[in-house]
Amino acid sequence: MTTDRAPRPWAAARYMMPLGAFLLLAVLLGVGLGLNPREVPSPLIGKAAPHFELPQLHQPQENFSQKDMRGKVWMLNVWASWCTACREEHPVLVELAKSGVIPIIGLNYKDKRDDGLAWLGRFGDPYVLSAYDEQGKVGIDYGVYGVPETYVIDKQGVIRYKRIGIVTPDIVKNRILPMLDELNREK
Amino acid sequence: MKNKLIAAALMCATALPGWASEAQPAAVDVALEKRVMALAEELRCLVCQNQTIADSHAGLAVDLKNQIREKLGAGMSEREIIDYMVARYGDFVLYRPPVKATTMLLWFGPPLLLLLGLWLFARTVLRRRAIATPLSPDEQVRARALLDNRESDRP
């Protein structure tokens, strides 16, 4: 024996190191899997809703602008008839519109007018009105990349909340409704 | 097969005068097109997140390329267009996000891990080498003695 080192008390800890590293990695990967890569934090939150003026879906000769909603807390929902997830989301919006707590404006995104109208006819129309963004240019200004997307805009015209993907009953209950109380109290 | 060949030939023939006339208005300006593609290489397609908008044929990527073309054509600089995209989609659209507090880990994490790995590797190698050093003549004698007389080694 060339070495006669005393048994080291931390020797056991050393053997635990790979296990520790593995657990750390597993936790990191677990968290990573739980994240939704589509949920990119929007730089628009806290900023004024970008200005737009678009013809309405039902009445093409009339325009709608985000300015028309000044002084109201409102919701902008981006939808399209070609969007399958929108169909899943739709009943939730219809329900929310029925409760009357917040006016919902639709942004019919890169759709054909007839298709959009037919879709609302078939599934119900929760929107006060829909603006018709045929080219998707307003969508770009709002940073839309995955329909449906939903914005809550306050009385000052500032975007306070953005949801990418469908609005679920859970989100209505736990995110939107509590926020509305607060926003409605603001001036 | 024959049909396909004919179709391909027809496509090539029609492509010359107006390639994708709908998606790329006035794609004649080669210099402009080069700048559009250079910028598009820098931007992430948010619909198909591991592609640049140059690579992607997603509707949004095509729209964004058209936006870039339009804005470059209108005299906006590359910097201004990047800022325009970031204002809408956040730093996430950039394949090379700026170095700031939130992106520190992204920028410096991998080199740090590399350094950590090199350190562990060097340490392990040095240790192994230390263990593997040949015995000195004295130790050789002692080892031989121990091996020759194993009984006496036991307490």
Side-chain angles (χ1 to χ4, degrees):
Chain A
M1 282 280 175
T2 57
T3 54
D4 37 355
R5 276 179 268 177
R8 289 153 302 176
W10 45 273
R14 266 191 68 180
Y15 292 111
M16 297 300 276
M17 266 170 64
L19 183 65
F22 168 76
L23 284 178
L24 189 69
L25 201 63
V27 167
L28 280 176
L29 289 177
V31 171
L33 277 178
L35 294 176
N36 180 0
R38 294 186 60 114
E39 242 166 65
V40 180
S42 174
L44 287 165
I45 288 172
K47 301 226 173 85
H51 171 71
F52 69 90
E53 184 143 13
L54 283 174
Q56 296 183 16
L57 181 68
H58 289 87
Q59 289 147 309
Q61 67 286 356
E62 278 185 52
N63 281 0
F64 171 80
S65 162
Q66 96 290 350
K67 282 190 290 190
D68 300 345
M69 297 305 283
R70 261 290 159 96
K72 283 183 199 150
V73 180
W74 60 292
M75 202 156 125
L76 181 71
N77 175 254
V78 185
W79 67 278
S81 68
W82 46 262
C83 153
T84 43
C86 296
R87 199 170 297 185
E88 197 182 326
E89 174 188 63
H90 207 64
V92 179
L93 295 180
V94 171
E95 201 60 34
L96 184 62
K98 237 186 256 168
S99 73
V101 289
I102 185 169
I104 309 174
I105 304 287
L107 183 72
N108 187 212
Y109 177 71
K110 296 188 77 171
D111 210 346
K112 290 198 183 93
R113 194 182 286 274
D114 289 342
D115 292 350
L117 287 170
W119 197 81
L120 289 182
R122 205 166 136 203
F123 299 107
D125 187 354
Y127 306 111
V128 177
L129 60 89
S130 279
Y132 182 52
D133 187 16
E134 186 175 17
Q135 307 281 324
K137 294 215 166 163
V138 173
I140 290 178
D141 279 342
Y142 277 75
V144 171
Y145 60 86
V147 194
E149 294 193 17
T150 302
Y151 303 78
V152 175
I153 298 167
D154 72 10
K155 293 180 184 173
Q156 299 294 320
V158 174
I159 296 177
R160 301 297 287 268
Y161 173 74
K162 179 182 180 185
R163 165 75 186 163
I164 295 158
I166 67 172
V167 170
T168 60
D170 182 58
I171 286 170
V172 170
K173 190 167 155 252
N174 295 320
R175 299 299 303 269
I176 295 176
L177 293 183
M179 177 184 278
L180 283 187
D181 288 341
E182 198 182 310
L183 295 186
N184 279 320
R185 255 181 274 132
E186 289 177 3
K187 279 194 183 154
Chain B
M1 190 62 209
K2 205 173 176 187
N3 280 344
K4 271 192 187 156
L5 277 176
I6 293 172
L10 277 173
M11 273 170 77
C12 291
T14 50
L16 289 173
W19 181 250
S21 55
E22 175 190 44
Q24 303 185 357
V28 271
D29 190 338
V30 181
L32 177 69
E33 213 49 30
K34 249 194 188 153
R35 289 175 69 202
V36 170
M37 288 317 275
L39 253 185
E41 297 276 0
E42 291 286 314
L43 297 170
R44 181 192 305 276
C45 170
L46 290 138
V47 182
C48 28
Q49 294 187 348
N50 290 328
Q51 282 187 306
T52 64
I53 63 171
D55 286 337
S56 173
H57 296 287
L60 182 70
V62 174
D63 287 354
L64 288 179
K65 269 180 277 191
N66 284 334
Q67 283 280 313
I68 294 173
R69 189 174 294 114
E70 215 171 85
K71 293 196 182 295
L72 280 176
M76 263 173 100
S77 74
E78 269 83 354
R79 188 68 251 166
E80 283 169 322
I81 292 174
I82 297 251
D83 291 344
Y84 167 91
M85 294 294 176
V86 170
R88 282 155 184 77
Y89 297 102
D91 285 336
F92 192 67
V93 283
L94 303 177
Y95 262 102
R96 289 184 291 167
V99 180
K100 47 180 166 181
T102 47
T103 57
M104 282 292 196
L105 196 61
L106 183 68
W107 276 101
F108 301 111
L112 277 179
L113 280 179
L114 180 67
L115 285 179
L116 182 74
L118 283 175
W119 176 72
L120 278 174
F121 177 69
R123 213 183 62 153
T124 312
V125 166
L126 286 179
R127 242 186 220 176
R128 289 237 172 107
R129 197 165 287 167
I131 289 167
T133 36
L135 300 179
S136 69
D138 277 1
E139 285 169 330
Q140 292 267 9
V141 172
R142 219 181 127 208
R144 179 59 42 203
L146 285 170
L147 286 169
D148 286 348
N149 190 3
R150 282 177 204 201
E151 311 304 292
S152 68
D153 194 30
R154 289 197 187 129

